[in-house]
Amino acid sequence: QVQLVESGGGLVQAGGSLRLSCAASRNILSVMGWYRQAPGKQRDMVATITRGGNTNYADSVKGRFTISRDNAKNTVNLEMNGLKPEDTAVYYCNAKSLLGADFWGQGTQVTVSS
């Protein structure tokens, strides 16, 4: 099994930046990504990245967020710039194995003040 541990969340003012990191216990993963969930809302995809570096972003974060991956270190990062109050949520690291297993981190809180 794979264990995912997120870090880098915190409180930031609107327009500020944060960088989230996720460390995986194994490097036998196809797609990794970040999802977020605000209170009372569903968990939505923010950004994903394949082992080869192909990325996909939610329309709401395009141009502001950048996902990256270091396969040698078993890490995936999310650079968040120009943060808005509506970005406030718990951010979860996700990883999928080649056999279809789905793994989740415990989540890290991101709060953006007006």
Side-chain angles (χ1 to χ4, degrees), residues 15-68:
S17 300
L18 284 174
R19 184 173 67 183
L20 306 182
S21 296
C22 174
S25 60
R26 285 203 303 164
N27 192 26
I28 311 176
L29 306 168
S30 58
V31 181
M32 297 187 70
W34 290 93
Y35 293 68
R36 66 186 181 186
Q37 185 170 26
K41 298 183 179 180
Q42 64 182 345
R43 187 175 299 186
D44 294 325
M45 186 273 290
V46 176
T48 62
I49 185 169
T50 67
R51 289 186 61 84
N54 297 111
T55 60
N56 189 33
Y57 295 93
D59 289 340
S60 60
V61 306
K62 285 183 177 179
R64 299 189 297 120
F65 292 9
T66 302
I67 190 170
S68 61

